[in-house]
Amino acid sequence: MPKVNYGKILDDKLAELTKNGEKPSLLLHACCAPCSSHTLLFLHEHFRITLYFCNPNIAPQEEFDYRLDELKRLVRELGLDIEIIDEEYDPAPFYELAKGLEDLPERGERCRRCIAYRLRKTAELAKERGFDYFTTTLTISPHKDCAFINECGADIAQKYGTEWLFSDFKKHDGYKHSIELSRQYDLYRQDYCGCVYSRMNKGDKNG
């Protein structure tokens, strides 16, 4: 099967919205400030964005709190009028889904379950509050499986009766731009994905 160009799908959607003069609401799951930086600047002219910080995988709590604080600082310093909805720190759901998968490498089944959990939570909230679309900043990371994220998001959207916004935020030098913005705003760039298992490996530097 040919590889799906999720970046082009997003470009086409943005062009459609611009042509129709629409600015729909978007619930954007955010994993951290660096991944959110380019993504917010790329999307904010096209959507009324609300950020959703739901990341029970992040450990320890000090790390969770610091990433959330950095996200809030980024939004302030970008001068964007964007609400941030954050879930209280509760790693229990992550450890439950990771049982028996602790020794798997990055991008394996544990990571897929973790991503799917966060997307389901985002879809639930999007449905509950009537957002037009939902998506995640995770596709900006070169360490994440963009195809899986989009396929999973689309499947969850169908189940919840919501609209998934396909994306590949690495396109248009998005990842490079996020690094530049991280330097510009002196953002904390973590050296592991978030969970204790990725911290042991320190192989994933974003998301």
Side-chain angles (χ1 to χ4, degrees):
M1 292 181 61
K3 187 176 180 181
V4 178
N5 189 336
Y6 292 106
K8 185 178 185 307
I9 293 175
L10 177 58
D11 287 345
D12 290 345
K13 172 59 69 174
L14 298 184
E16 175 190 323
L17 294 177
T18 299
K19 180 180 178 181
N20 295 335
E22 299 176 8
K23 194 169 185 178
S25 58
L26 170 68
L27 184 62
L28 175 62
H29 166 262
C31 54
C32 62
C35 289
S36 301
S37 58
H38 165 80
T39 306
L40 285 172
L41 292 179
F42 187 68
L43 293 178
H44 86 278
E45 292 184 1
H46 302 279
F47 295 93
R48 293 175 283 113
I49 300 172
T50 297
L51 284 170
Y52 182 41
F53 190 81
C54 174
N55 300 291
N57 56 307
I58 297 175
Q61 183 169 358
E62 292 76 12
E63 179 77 13
F64 178 94
D65 292 340
Y66 191 31
R67 294 191 193 190
L68 176 57
D69 287 343
E70 284 290 89
L71 182 63
K72 291 177 178 178
R73 179 172 69 85
L74 171 66
V75 170
R76 286 196 307 270
E77 295 191 9
L78 287 176
L80 300 176
D81 183 19
I82 291 177
E83 178 188 5
I84 300 175
I85 300 171
D86 58 279
E87 296 285 350
E88 291 185 4
Y89 182 69
D90 178 14
F94 171 74
Y95 289 117
E96 181 63 29
L97 66 84
K99 281 182 180 178
L101 307 173
E102 295 87 351
D103 296 330
L104 292 183
E106 292 293 318
R107 293 169 66 103
E109 179 62 20
R110 184 189 66 246
C111 294
R112 288 192 288 269
R113 289 189 186 184
C114 177
I115 290 169
Y117 174 85
R118 289 183 280 172
L119 294 185
R120 282 196 301 272
K121 292 287 288 183
T122 309
E124 287 174 4
L125 187 59
K127 178 70 172 179
E128 176 188 324
R129 300 204 180 185
F131 284 90
D132 297 311
Y133 294 89
F134 78 100
T135 197
T136 178
T137 61
L138 287 168
T139 63
I140 200 170
S141 173
H143 306 285
K144 293 289 184 286
D145 186 338
C146 182
F148 168 77
I149 293 169
N150 280 289
E151 291 166 6
C152 182
D155 183 59
I156 289 170
Q158 189 173 31
K159 291 176 180 176
Y160 281 89
T162 57
E163 190 77 20
W164 168 255
L165 183 69
F166 289 94
S167 73
D168 184 350
F169 294 119
K170 293 183 295 298
K171 300 297 184 179
H172 307 293
D173 287 326
Y175 181 65
K176 178 182 177 182
H177 189 212
S178 74
I179 294 174
E180 294 169 352
L181 289 167
S182 294
R183 293 195 186 104
Q184 180 180 344
Y185 290 95
D186 194 25
L187 297 176
Y188 165 59
R189 287 184 59 80
Q190 59 275 5
D191 60 0
Y192 67 106
C193 176
C195 75
V196 293
Y197 314 113
S198 65
R199 190 176 191 181
M200 293 175 192
N201 297 324
K202 293 200 173 183
D204 182 353
K205 298 191 176 183
N206 273 294

